[in-house]
Amino acid sequence: MSKPAHIKRPIMFVGTGSDVGKSIINTAFCRIFKQDDHHPAPFKAQNMSLNSYATHEGLEIGRAQAVQAEACGVSCRSDMNPVLLKPSNNLESQIVLNGKPIGSRSASDYFSSTDRYRLFDKVMQSYKRLENDYAPIVIEGAGSISELNLRDKDITNMHVAVATKAATYLIADIDKGGIFANIYGTLELLPLEERRLIKGIIINKFRGDPGLFETGKQKLENLTGVPVVGILPYFNDIHIEEEDSVVLENKKGASSAGKVNIAIVLLRHMSNFTDFDVLERTPGVHLYYAAYPDDLDNADIVIIPGSKNTISDMFYLRKRGLAKSIKKHHEAGKAVYGICGGYQMMGKSIADPYHVEGDIAFIPGLGILPVETTLSQEKTTEQCTFSFLGGSMECKGYEIHMGETNHQNGEPLCITDKNHNDGYFLNYKTWGTYIHGIFDNQEVINHILRENGTSGLQSTSFDYAAYKEEQYDKLAALVREHTDINYIYQTLME
């Protein structure tokens, strides 16, 4: 393939609905453009996710854009996701603008009372800053582009496409069924100005021989007048960090004989579930998500993850009977570790004097660690390097939390590069930390396997950074093989 000398416009991937594969395809093209010696960067105007990441600026963005930036080979920055909505309950979300929280709003307030023109201006200012430094910008939409009730409030789908004149590609998930109605209906509902920007259709998650869909492809092109430029096969052998916690439904389960069984407590407001990706891929480990008390019975290690609403999830643990099971697990001398909100829950109490999370000002914790947490109005958002339990290896992670956890005595789990004590170490099987990504570090994994595993698992080695690079390349190769890359490049030159 001959590469163009200069790309004139951005590319955008939009969907017939949610969970059709926009994020993963965006990631693929981020890597493809990098491989082809361009200088791409991702952009998603507005994201709704509890999976977030701290940039080197100390700002917060959706984890998916951090992953896409990594596929581009560039550092992530807040301009890549200027608006992030983090649901704290069924009705309300924290709004993060340009990497900093600006308050919490209900969905009705956010969509009906927010000055959408001003917010869109902020979004486009971020885009223009990126455009000065990168090309092409690889833009991701959100949900469906044909939600008529939200059209005048849209700041992330076709309004972005129109403002940037992006070559736009519609993605549909054939595995969900109804693909002809989904694609045809989606395009028919678009105004002419927006429909003209749709340069192609990508069919995602096709099972079987794509040649069998040739008639379907022709019918779609005849119906819509838009070419089908890709039919991507369903795959389960390429592993890219997921954005949507719906994937956890397939990871519920029980223990497995002959392995170190790690149970992640499945919280209602769980955040940053990607904290456990490396553990899940570590040889000799069986990782699963525990939704019921009995799920913890045969676990070697229980991990309480982060939470966007720690107090609500503390109530949930008690109501569900999980709190009793976690304490029973600890009292039996088995390992319990807590990350961020999970660390807070392991303590004696959680206070919320400013009502950051809701109306409840105080709740007792699990009482496993002798610490007390007070939620604050200021959010800590930063990347960090740290030593783990006084070790000599430099580890990496990041913090995103609203709250301070205090204890009078005790040993910190980690010491950061800013000489800050993090977490609480009670013993080798009981500790908590505020550091997300702590299990991305081999020293930490080796520690917990040594304390809870067998001799054969004491010196495991897994280069996660190299593994991720390999996965990005595999994803790019698959997408190249099954899409008309030459045509896509041509649309970026128009």
Side-chain angles (χ1 to χ4, degrees):
M1 184 196 73
S2 60
K3 294 177 291 192
H6 179 65
I7 288 177
K8 296 181 179 179
R9 64 198 302 195
I11 191 168
M12 185 170 186
F13 297 98
V14 297
T16 57
S18 297
D19 194 34
V20 297
K22 294 184 293 294
S23 291
I24 200 77
I25 291 172
N26 226 61
T27 304
F29 277 90
C30 282
R31 178 48 62 110
I32 286 170
F33 292 130
K34 176 184 184 295
Q35 291 173 336
D36 291 348
D37 296 327
H38 298 290
H39 193 40
F43 179 76
K44 186 168 184 174
Q46 176 182 286
N47 199 352
M48 177 176 279
S49 178
L50 288 179
N51 245 14
S52 62
Y53 189 73
T55 72
H56 66 89
E57 315 150 285
L59 301 173
E60 186 176 10
I61 65 170
R63 180 81 185 194
Q65 281 62 65
V67 169
Q68 290 161 5
E70 191 172 63
C72 290
V74 300
S75 297
C76 62
R77 64 195 228 193
S78 59
D79 286 329
M80 294 172 179
N81 176 211
V83 179
L84 174 63
L85 307 179
K86 302 188 72 176
S88 51
N89 54 51
N90 290 336
L91 298 176
E92 194 170 82
S93 293
Q94 182 185 70
I95 302 170
V96 180
L97 177 62
N98 296 135
K100 290 187 175 292
I102 59 170
S104 294
R105 304 282 291 277
S106 68
S108 60
D109 281 347
Y110 179 70
F111 284 107
S112 63
S113 303
T114 304
D115 185 341
R116 310 299 288 179
Y117 294 104
R118 177 180 172 274
L119 200 57
F120 190 66
D121 284 344
K122 294 282 189 183
V123 162
M124 292 312 300
Q125 287 169 20
S126 289
Y127 173 83
K128 288 172 183 175
R129 285 191 292 267
L130 282 181
E131 191 178 39
N132 287 333
D133 296 332
Y134 303 97
I137 307 298
V138 189
I139 308 171
E140 181 184 340
S144 164
I145 57 172
S146 295
E147 303 294 344
L148 299 182
N149 58 313
L150 298 177
R151 179 175 298 281
D152 62 333
K153 303 173 178 65
D154 171 35
I155 65 167
T156 191
N157 280 315
M158 295 309 292
H159 283 185
V160 173
V162 171
T164 63
K165 298 181 173 58
T168 305
Y169 289 84
L170 178 66
I171 299 168
D173 179 354
I174 197 169
D175 201 44
K176 294 180 184 292
I179 196 165
F180 291 93
N182 286 338
I183 291 173
Y184 180 75
T186 295
L187 293 175
E188 283 297 304
L189 289 171
L190 292 181
L192 184 59
E193 179 188 26
E194 296 178 3
R195 182 164 177 169
R196 284 173 175 162
L197 292 169
I198 305 293
K199 301 301 180 183
I201 297 165
I202 297 175
I203 309 296
N204 196 25
K205 302 181 187 177
F206 189 89
R207 296 176 186 263
D209 181 3
L212 298 176
F213 193 68
E214 189 61 33
T215 302
K217 175 183 172 182
Q218 292 300 320
K219 287 183 180 295
L220 272 174
E221 291 178 347
N222 293 338
L223 273 171
T224 64
V226 179
V228 176
V229 301
I231 301 176
L232 302 180
Y234 187 97
F235 63 85
N236 54 19
D237 60 342
I238 302 173
H239 304 287
I240 308 294
E241 287 187 5
E242 300 277 2
E243 177 184 35
D244 198 331
S245 60
V246 69
V247 300
L248 302 186
E249 291 298 316
N250 300 323
K251 297 179 182 179
K252 291 180 182 178
S255 58
S256 177
K259 294 192 174 184
V260 177
N261 288 287
I262 300 179
I264 310 299
V265 179
L266 191 59
L267 303 174
R268 289 182 65 193
H269 305 288
M270 180 176 175
S271 64
N272 293 73
F273 61 86
T274 50
D275 280 343
F276 313 111
D277 279 14
V278 180
L279 278 174
E280 186 177 357
R281 309 198 194 293
T282 298
V285 166
H286 173 65
L287 186 142
Y288 63 99
Y289 287 81
Y292 301 98
D294 291 350
D295 293 342
L296 302 181
D297 287 350
N298 295 313
D300 299 296
I301 300 170
V302 169
I303 300 176
I304 311 172
S307 168
K308 184 62 187 72
N309 195 318
T310 307
I311 289 178
S312 176
D313 276 337
M314 189 64 244
F315 269 110
Y316 174 77
L317 290 183
R318 288 202 170 95
K319 181 178 180 181
R320 192 87 168 182
L322 283 162
K324 186 176 180 180
S325 290
I326 294 168
K327 293 177 74 171
K328 178 182 175 183
H329 185 91
H330 168 65
E331 289 163 0
K334 294 184 178 181
V336 179
Y337 305 129
I339 311 296
C340 200
Y343 167 40
Q344 295 174 342
M345 287 182 233
M346 287 179 70
K348 294 192 293 185
S349 64
I350 305 162
D352 188 7
Y354 304 105
H355 300 286
V356 172
E357 292 189 347
D359 296 332
I360 299 168
F362 180 89
I363 187 172
L366 293 168
I368 294 173
L369 295 177
V371 300
E372 298 175 337
T373 296
T374 300
L375 301 181
S376 59
Q377 294 174 302
E378 296 297 320
K379 177 178 277 193
T380 298
T381 308
E382 60 185 15
Q383 295 181 5
C384 64
T385 58
F386 62 93
S387 63
F388 178 76
L389 285 176
S392 59
M393 295 289 292
E394 182 180 84
C395 300
K396 294 183 179 180
Y398 61 100
E399 294 185 49
I400 300 176
H401 60 90
M402 299 182 79
E404 296 292 334
T405 299
N406 300 310
H407 53 83
Q408 292 182 342
N409 298 299
E411 182 181 345
L413 185 73
C414 306
I415 299 177
T416 73
D417 51 333
K418 295 181 179 178
N419 205 31
H420 169 69
N421 291 343
D422 166 78
Y424 189 94
F425 174 77
L426 185 67
N427 56 56
Y428 287 114
K429 292 192 176 184
T430 317
W431 49 254
T433 178
Y434 271 119
I435 298 176
H436 290 289
I438 192 169
F439 296 117
D440 292 357
N441 298 282
Q442 198 61 55
E443 182 175 7
V444 180
I445 290 180
N446 287 342
H447 163 82
I448 68 169
L449 293 183
R450 183 171 58 250
E451 298 301 326
N452 301 283
T454 64
S455 58
L457 293 171
Q458 288 183 14
S459 58
T460 185
S461 180
F462 179 56
D463 188 338
Y464 189 44
Y467 176 82
K468 287 192 289 184
E469 288 297 305
E470 178 187 338
Q471 300 307 303
Y472 295 140
D473 287 339
K474 286 174 64 176
L475 177 64
L478 180 136
V479 171
R480 280 186 191 276
E481 180 182 354
H482 295 281
T483 57
D484 188 343
I485 294 291
N486 282 325
Y487 171 84
I488 291 172
Y489 264 120
Q490 289 169 14
T491 64
L492 301 184
M493 295 296 295
E494 295 174 352

